[in-house]
Amino acid sequence: MKILFCRHGETQWNKLGKLQGHLDSQLTLTGIEQAKLLGQQLEKFCPELIITSDLGRAVSTAEWLNQRLNLPIELNALLRERCFGELQGLLRQPEQNERLWQAYDNRFNANHIAINRAESATAVLARVERFLTDIASLKVNTLIVVGHGEWLRVLQNVNMGHAPWSDQQRVPANCEYLEFCI
């Protein structure tokens, strides 16, 4: 099975520099255009199904890209972005929450983040692995999966033999897609 993993389109919070995690914000007009273009780009693969994170920005991206494809869409909470606990929804401002932002910047050095209620990288990896196990029995040749940056980084890191928390792989750009075969 070919899997086209996609990051959601640009959101209002992406534009402002707010950390989203499990919180949400709407797509910008740019994000909507990115999603429409993504639908055009993915059409050549003849996908049969879209599975998306249940967070609104991913669902909206899936719906916009699907205007071109007209495929069934399934929501899956395993695709949610990494939870960053009490840092979610905050702007990066040097004079505020300095300790939290330092902990966030150190997320590439260890599995756990020193932020209340933040999800470890291995917890994200457990969701990645469960999702891959769940979809292995699907009877489709090509699948579109719409998700989030840190989730996709963990997937790529492990696929390349790096620690899940590593910064060896970059977060894909908004509406960038990655091809995987399982």
Side-chain angles (χ1 to χ4, degrees):
M1 172 188 335
K2 180 180 294 232
I3 307 171
L4 305 166
F5 285 102
C6 313
R7 184 175 174 213
H8 62 80
E10 179 189 71
T11 68
Q12 298 291 335
W13 284 12
N14 289 148
K15 199 171 176 178
L16 292 173
K18 279 188 181 183
L19 186 62
Q20 292 176 115
H22 280 196
L23 300 182
D24 226 342
S25 69
Q26 295 182 351
L27 295 182
T28 61
L29 292 177
T30 298
I32 291 168
E33 291 305 313
Q34 290 170 332
K36 289 178 181 179
L37 179 59
L38 181 61
Q40 293 173 14
Q41 293 170 336
L42 299 181
E43 188 174 31
K44 67 184 175 197
F45 294 104
C46 301
E48 300 155 81
L49 175 65
I50 299 170
I51 302 177
T52 182
S53 160
D54 62 344
L55 295 175
R57 60 193 183 268
V59 173
S60 185
T61 299
E63 290 169 344
W64 282 108
L65 76 85
N66 199 33
Q67 286 187 342
R68 178 90 174 197
L69 304 171
N70 198 31
L71 300 172
I73 298 177
E74 296 179 8
L75 278 58
N76 192 314
L78 293 173
L79 295 168
R80 282 186 171 205
E81 178 60 293
R82 184 176 185 175
C83 179
F84 289 105
E86 65 181 314
L87 192 54
Q88 295 177 145
L90 299 181
L91 282 171
R92 185 162 200 144
Q93 298 172 328
E95 66 281 356
Q96 296 179 356
N97 304 302
E98 184 177 347
R99 179 194 62 79
L100 294 175
W101 286 109
Q102 285 176 346
Y104 176 78
D105 290 339
N106 287 328
R107 72 189 183 284
F108 303 122
N109 299 323
N111 179 36
H112 295 281
I113 306 173
I115 299 171
N116 285 339
R117 300 180 316 279
E119 189 175 19
S120 69
T122 53
V124 177
L125 177 58
R127 290 194 287 115
V128 168
E129 290 172 336
R130 183 161 169 223
F131 176 76
L132 294 174
T133 298
D134 289 353
I135 65 169
S137 62
L138 288 176
K139 304 293 186 223
V140 297
N141 293 317
T142 304
L143 171 66
I144 296 172
V145 176
V146 181
H148 306 275
E150 287 291 328
W151 193 100
L152 290 167
R153 184 198 309 265
V154 169
L155 170 70
Q156 293 178 90
N157 275 333
V158 171
N159 187 56
M160 298 301 291
H162 304 297
W165 55 86
S166 169
D167 65 352
Q168 293 298 306
Q169 299 297 309
R170 66 177 181 76
V171 167
N174 293 111
C175 283
E176 182 178 354
Y177 70 91
L178 311 167
E179 293 182 49
F180 281 76
C181 290
I182 60 170

